[in-house]
PDB file of all heavy atoms in Angstrom:
ATOM      1  N   VAL I  40       4.326   4.360  -0.888  1.00 97.00           N
ATOM      2  CA  VAL I  40       5.286   3.935   0.132  1.00 97.00           C
ATOM      3  C   VAL I  40       6.047   2.724  -0.426  1.00 97.00           C
ATOM      4  O   VAL I  40       5.478   1.644  -0.612  1.00 97.00           O
ATOM      5  CB  VAL I  40       4.572   3.589   1.459  1.00 97.00           C
ATOM      6  CG1 VAL I  40       5.597   3.271   2.540  1.00 97.00           C
ATOM      7  CG2 VAL I  40       3.680   4.742   1.905  1.00 97.00           C
ATOM      8  N   LEU I  41       7.308   2.975  -0.728  1.00 97.00           N
ATOM      9  CA  LEU I  41       8.150   1.946  -1.370  1.00 97.00           C
ATOM     10  C   LEU I  41       8.410   0.777  -0.422  1.00 97.00           C
ATOM     11  O   LEU I  41       8.426   0.972   0.787  1.00 97.00           O
ATOM     12  CB  LEU I  41       9.478   2.584  -1.794  1.00 97.00           C
ATOM     13  CG  LEU I  41       9.346   3.651  -2.897  1.00 97.00           C
ATOM     14  CD1 LEU I  41      10.658   4.384  -3.065  1.00 97.00           C
ATOM     15  CD2 LEU I  41       8.878   3.033  -4.198  1.00 97.00           C
ATOM     16  N   LYS I  42       8.680  -0.441  -0.977  1.00 96.00           N
ATOM     17  CA  LYS I  42       8.613  -0.677  -2.401  1.00 96.00           C
ATOM     18  C   LYS I  42       7.298  -1.322  -2.816  1.00 96.00           C
ATOM     19  O   LYS I  42       6.961  -1.367  -3.988  1.00 96.00           O
ATOM     20  CB  LYS I  42       9.747  -1.637  -2.832  1.00 96.00           C
ATOM     21  CG  LYS I  42      11.105  -1.160  -2.534  1.00 96.00           C
ATOM     22  CD  LYS I  42      12.104  -2.307  -2.888  1.00 96.00           C
ATOM     23  CE  LYS I  42      13.179  -2.261  -1.840  1.00 96.00           C
ATOM     24  NZ  LYS I  42      14.039  -3.435  -1.814  1.00 96.00           N
ATOM     25  N   GLY I  43       6.591  -1.863  -1.819  1.00 97.00           N
ATOM     26  CA  GLY I  43       5.407  -2.652  -2.131  1.00 97.00           C
ATOM     27  C   GLY I  43       4.340  -1.927  -2.939  1.00 97.00           C
ATOM     28  O   GLY I  43       3.578  -2.553  -3.667  1.00 97.00           O
ATOM     29  N   ALA I  44       4.306  -0.593  -2.845  1.00 98.00           N
ATOM     30  CA  ALA I  44       3.210   0.152  -3.474  1.00 98.00           C
ATOM     31  C   ALA I  44       3.408   0.395  -4.964  1.00 98.00           C
ATOM     32  O   ALA I  44       2.530   0.968  -5.613  1.00 98.00           O
ATOM     33  CB  ALA I  44       3.020   1.496  -2.769  1.00 98.00           C
ATOM     34  N   VAL I  66      10.444   3.953   3.870  1.00 95.00           N
ATOM     35  CA  VAL I  66      10.587   3.948   5.323  1.00 95.00           C
ATOM     36  C   VAL I  66      11.042   2.567   5.772  1.00 95.00           C
ATOM     37  O   VAL I  66      10.898   1.581   5.053  1.00 95.00           O
ATOM     38  CB  VAL I  66       9.253   4.304   6.029  1.00 95.00           C
ATOM     39  CG1 VAL I  66       8.815   5.703   5.681  1.00 95.00           C
ATOM     40  CG2 VAL I  66       8.167   3.296   5.718  1.00 95.00           C
ATOM     41  N   SER I  68      10.957   0.146   9.399  1.00 78.00           N
ATOM     42  CA  SER I  68      10.531   0.113  10.802  1.00 78.00           C
ATOM     43  C   SER I  68      11.604  -0.573  11.628  1.00 78.00           C
ATOM     44  O   SER I  68      12.175  -1.566  11.210  1.00 78.00           O
ATOM     45  CB  SER I  68       9.197  -0.597  10.946  1.00 78.00           C
ATOM     46  OG  SER I  68       9.257  -1.862  10.365  1.00 78.00           O
ATOM     47  N   SER I  75       6.218  -4.932  12.275  1.00 60.00           N
ATOM     48  CA  SER I  75       6.756  -3.597  12.482  1.00 60.00           C
ATOM     49  C   SER I  75       6.506  -3.142  13.915  1.00 60.00           C
ATOM     50  O   SER I  75       5.520  -3.488  14.543  1.00 60.00           O
ATOM     51  CB  SER I  75       6.190  -2.610  11.463  1.00 60.00           C
ATOM     52  OG  SER I  75       4.813  -2.741  11.382  1.00 60.00           O
ATOM     53  N   GLU I  98      -0.757   2.405  -0.577  1.00 98.00           N
ATOM     54  CA  GLU I  98      -0.057   1.278   0.050  1.00 98.00           C
ATOM     55  C   GLU I  98      -0.508  -0.037  -0.568  1.00 98.00           C
ATOM     56  O   GLU I  98      -1.661  -0.168  -1.002  1.00 98.00           O
ATOM     57  CB  GLU I  98      -0.374   1.240   1.558  1.00 98.00           C
ATOM     58  CG  GLU I  98       0.649   1.965   2.420  1.00 98.00           C
ATOM     59  CD  GLU I  98       1.947   1.161   2.619  1.00 98.00           C
ATOM     60  OE1 GLU I  98       2.285   0.309   1.774  1.00 98.00           O
ATOM     61  OE2 GLU I  98       2.606   1.403   3.639  1.00 98.00           O
ATOM     62  N   ASP I  99       0.390  -0.991  -0.578  1.00 98.00           N
ATOM     63  CA  ASP I  99       0.000  -2.337  -1.010  1.00 98.00           C
ATOM     64  C   ASP I  99      -0.795  -3.046   0.075  1.00 98.00           C
ATOM     65  O   ASP I  99      -1.805  -3.672  -0.188  1.00 98.00           O
ATOM     66  CB  ASP I  99       1.228  -3.166  -1.415  1.00 98.00           C
ATOM     67  CG  ASP I  99       2.307  -3.172  -0.341  1.00 98.00           C
ATOM     68  OD1 ASP I  99       2.321  -2.260   0.504  1.00 98.00           O
ATOM     69  OD2 ASP I  99       3.153  -4.088  -0.359  1.00 98.00           O
ATOM     70  N   ILE I 100      -0.308  -2.917   1.340  1.00 97.00           N
ATOM     71  CA  ILE I 100      -0.976  -3.675   2.401  1.00 97.00           C
ATOM     72  C   ILE I 100      -0.883  -2.945   3.739  1.00 97.00           C
ATOM     73  O   ILE I 100       0.121  -2.293   4.032  1.00 97.00           O
ATOM     74  CB  ILE I 100      -0.379  -5.099   2.510  1.00 97.00           C
ATOM     75  CG1 ILE I 100      -1.226  -5.993   3.427  1.00 97.00           C
ATOM     76  CG2 ILE I 100       1.076  -5.061   2.989  1.00 97.00           C
ATOM     77  CD1 ILE I 100      -0.925  -7.482   3.265  1.00 97.00           C
ATOM     78  N   ILE I 101      -1.957  -3.062   4.505  1.00 96.00           N
ATOM     79  CA  ILE I 101      -1.950  -2.613   5.895  1.00 96.00           C
ATOM     80  C   ILE I 101      -2.035  -3.859   6.747  1.00 96.00           C
ATOM     81  O   ILE I 101      -2.998  -4.628   6.643  1.00 96.00           O
ATOM     82  CB  ILE I 101      -3.136  -1.675   6.190  1.00 96.00           C
ATOM     83  CG1 ILE I 101      -3.058  -0.446   5.290  1.00 96.00           C
ATOM     84  CG2 ILE I 101      -3.137  -1.269   7.655  1.00 96.00           C
ATOM     85  CD1 ILE I 101      -4.285   0.436   5.366  1.00 96.00           C
ATOM     86  N   ASP I 102      -0.994  -4.063   7.534  1.00 94.00           N
ATOM     87  CA  ASP I 102      -0.892  -5.273   8.346  1.00 94.00           C
ATOM     88  C   ASP I 102      -1.213  -4.872   9.789  1.00 94.00           C
ATOM     89  O   ASP I 102      -2.380  -4.818  10.173  1.00 94.00           O
ATOM     90  CB  ASP I 102       0.541  -5.811   8.179  1.00 94.00           C
ATOM     91  CG  ASP I 102       0.639  -7.291   8.474  1.00 94.00           C
ATOM     92  OD1 ASP I 102       0.002  -7.735   9.441  1.00 94.00           O
ATOM     93  OD2 ASP I 102       1.352  -8.011   7.756  1.00 94.00           O
ATOM     94  N   SER I 103      -0.216  -4.514  10.572  1.00 93.00           N
ATOM     95  CA  SER I 103      -0.496  -4.019  11.927  1.00 93.00           C
ATOM     96  C   SER I 103      -1.086  -2.612  11.872  1.00 93.00           C
ATOM     97  O   SER I 103      -1.740  -2.166  12.806  1.00 93.00           O
ATOM     98  CB  SER I 103       0.785  -4.006  12.749  1.00 93.00           C
ATOM     99  OG  SER I 103       1.672  -3.018  12.257  1.00 93.00           O
ATOM    100  N   GLY I 104      -0.799  -1.876  10.787  1.00 94.00           N
ATOM    101  CA  GLY I 104      -1.244  -0.487  10.678  1.00 94.00           C
ATOM    102  C   GLY I 104      -0.264   0.509  11.279  1.00 94.00           C
ATOM    103  O   GLY I 104      -0.470   1.720  11.192  1.00 94.00           O
ATOM    104  N   LEU I 105       0.799  -0.003  11.882  1.00 93.00           N
ATOM    105  CA  LEU I 105       1.713   0.884  12.611  1.00 93.00           C
ATOM    106  C   LEU I 105       2.495   1.809  11.680  1.00 93.00           C
ATOM    107  O   LEU I 105       2.736   2.973  12.017  1.00 93.00           O
ATOM    108  CB  LEU I 105       2.671   0.047  13.470  1.00 93.00           C
ATOM    109  CG  LEU I 105       1.999  -0.704  14.634  1.00 93.00           C
ATOM    110  CD1 LEU I 105       2.958  -1.697  15.280  1.00 93.00           C
ATOM    111  CD2 LEU I 105       1.481   0.280  15.671  1.00 93.00           C
ATOM    112  N   THR I 106       2.880   1.290  10.520  1.00 93.00           N
ATOM    113  CA  THR I 106       3.628   2.139   9.578  1.00 93.00           C
ATOM    114  C   THR I 106       2.784   3.343   9.164  1.00 93.00           C
ATOM    115  O   THR I 106       3.220   4.498   9.243  1.00 93.00           O
ATOM    116  CB  THR I 106       4.027   1.329   8.325  1.00 93.00           C
ATOM    117  OG1 THR I 106       4.756   0.169   8.730  1.00 93.00           O
ATOM    118  CG2 THR I 106       4.869   2.172   7.365  1.00 93.00           C
ATOM    119  N   LEU I 107       1.547   3.056   8.732  1.00 95.00           N
ATOM    120  CA  LEU I 107       0.684   4.145   8.264  1.00 95.00           C
ATOM    121  C   LEU I 107       0.279   5.076   9.399  1.00 95.00           C
ATOM    122  O   LEU I 107       0.136   6.283   9.189  1.00 95.00           O
ATOM    123  CB  LEU I 107      -0.559   3.572   7.604  1.00 95.00           C
ATOM    124  CG  LEU I 107      -0.534   3.573   6.100  1.00 95.00           C
ATOM    125  CD1 LEU I 107      -1.792   2.932   5.569  1.00 95.00           C
ATOM    126  CD2 LEU I 107      -0.379   4.987   5.539  1.00 95.00           C
ATOM    127  N   GLY I 156       3.542  -6.491  -5.972  1.00 98.00           N
ATOM    128  CA  GLY I 156       4.280  -5.566  -5.115  1.00 98.00           C
ATOM    129  C   GLY I 156       4.760  -6.190  -3.811  1.00 98.00           C
ATOM    130  O   GLY I 156       5.759  -5.759  -3.235  1.00 98.00           O
ATOM    131  N   LEU I 157       4.044  -7.196  -3.349  1.00 97.00           N
ATOM    132  CA  LEU I 157       4.387  -7.800  -2.046  1.00 97.00           C
ATOM    133  C   LEU I 157       5.458  -8.868  -2.213  1.00 97.00           C
ATOM    134  O   LEU I 157       5.350  -9.728  -3.093  1.00 97.00           O
ATOM    135  CB  LEU I 157       3.137  -8.438  -1.441  1.00 97.00           C
ATOM    136  CG  LEU I 157       2.066  -7.451  -1.023  1.00 97.00           C
ATOM    137  CD1 LEU I 157       0.687  -8.056  -1.197  1.00 97.00           C
ATOM    138  CD2 LEU I 157       2.279  -7.044   0.411  1.00 97.00           C
ATOM    139  N   ASP I 158       6.436  -8.826  -1.315  1.00 96.00           N
ATOM    140  CA  ASP I 158       7.576  -9.738  -1.460  1.00 96.00           C
ATOM    141  C   ASP I 158       7.687 -10.737  -0.315  1.00 96.00           C
ATOM    142  O   ASP I 158       7.106 -10.557   0.749  1.00 96.00           O
ATOM    143  CB  ASP I 158       8.874  -8.933  -1.500  1.00 96.00           C
ATOM    144  CG  ASP I 158       9.278  -8.419  -0.112  1.00 96.00           C
ATOM    145  OD1 ASP I 158       8.442  -7.770   0.544  1.00 96.00           O
ATOM    146  OD2 ASP I 158      10.411  -8.692   0.318  1.00 96.00           O
ATOM    147  N   GLU I 161      12.349 -10.213  -0.855  1.00 95.00           N
ATOM    148  CA  GLU I 161      12.501  -9.412  -2.079  1.00 95.00           C
ATOM    149  C   GLU I 161      12.052 -10.130  -3.355  1.00 95.00           C
ATOM    150  O   GLU I 161      12.155  -9.565  -4.443  1.00 95.00           O
ATOM    151  CB  GLU I 161      13.948  -8.897  -2.256  1.00 95.00           C
ATOM    152  CG  GLU I 161      14.378  -7.898  -1.182  1.00 95.00           C
ATOM    153  CD  GLU I 161      13.480  -6.656  -1.129  1.00 95.00           C
ATOM    154  OE1 GLU I 161      12.981  -6.216  -2.175  1.00 95.00           O
ATOM    155  OE2 GLU I 161      13.268  -6.140  -0.006  1.00 95.00           O
ATOM    156  N   ARG I 164       7.549  -9.892  -6.081  1.00 98.00           N
ATOM    157  CA  ARG I 164       6.866  -8.601  -6.241  1.00 98.00           C
ATOM    158  C   ARG I 164       6.256  -8.465  -7.643  1.00 98.00           C
ATOM    159  O   ARG I 164       5.284  -7.755  -7.840  1.00 98.00           O
ATOM    160  CB  ARG I 164       7.847  -7.442  -6.038  1.00 98.00           C
ATOM    161  CG  ARG I 164       8.349  -7.264  -4.612  1.00 98.00           C
ATOM    162  CD  ARG I 164       9.049  -5.915  -4.501  1.00 98.00           C
ATOM    163  NE  ARG I 164       9.943  -5.824  -3.364  1.00 98.00           N
ATOM    164  CZ  ARG I 164       9.572  -5.467  -2.130  1.00 98.00           C
ATOM    165  NH1 ARG I 164       8.312  -5.182  -1.885  1.00 98.00           N
ATOM    166  NH2 ARG I 164      10.453  -5.398  -1.163  1.00 98.00           N
TER     167      ARG I 164
HETATM  168  C1  LIG G   1       4.955  -3.367   4.102  1.00 93.26           C
HETATM  169  C2  LIG G   1       3.826  -2.569   3.459  1.00 93.26           C
HETATM  170  C3  LIG G   1       3.589  -1.466   4.440  1.00 93.26           C
HETATM  171  C4  LIG G   1       3.921  -2.107   5.769  1.00 93.26           C
HETATM  172  C5  LIG G   1       2.644  -2.515   6.428  1.00 93.26           C
HETATM  173  O1  LIG G   1       6.165  -2.797   3.771  1.00 93.26           O
HETATM  174  O2  LIG G   1       4.184  -2.078   2.199  1.00 93.26           O
HETATM  175  O3  LIG G   1       4.408  -0.362   4.202  1.00 93.26           O
HETATM  176  O4  LIG G   1       4.703  -3.272   5.510  1.00 93.26           O
HETATM  177  O5  LIG G   1       2.903  -3.116   7.664  1.00 93.26           O
HETATM  178  P1  LIG G   1       2.267  -2.573   9.006  1.00 93.26           P
HETATM  179  O6  LIG G   1       0.844  -2.248   8.730  1.00 93.26           O
HETATM  180  O7  LIG G   1       2.412  -3.770   9.936  1.00 93.26           O
HETATM  181  O8  LIG G   1       3.052  -1.411   9.483  1.00 93.26           O
HETATM  182  P2  LIG G   1       7.567  -3.486   4.094  1.00 93.26           P
HETATM  183  O9  LIG G   1       8.122  -2.928   5.360  1.00 93.26           O
HETATM  184  O10 LIG G   1       7.430  -4.984   4.011  1.00 93.26           O
HETATM  185  O11 LIG G   1       8.493  -2.950   2.916  1.00 93.26           O
HETATM  186  P3  LIG G   1       8.327  -3.145   1.318  1.00 93.26           P
HETATM  187  O12 LIG G   1       7.090  -2.406   0.900  1.00 93.26           O
HETATM  188  O13 LIG G   1       9.563  -2.549   0.745  1.00 93.26           O
HETATM  189  O14 LIG G   1       8.205  -4.632   1.053  1.00 93.26           O
END
Side-chain angles (χ1 to χ4, degrees):
V40 185
L41 294 170
K42 301 174 217 167
V66 297
S68 54
S75 48
E98 266 283 25
D99 52 338
I100 190 164
I101 300 172
D102 203 319
S103 68
L105 293 170
T106 305
L107 259 178
L157 292 148
D158 75 307
E161 294 301 326
R164 291 193 200 274

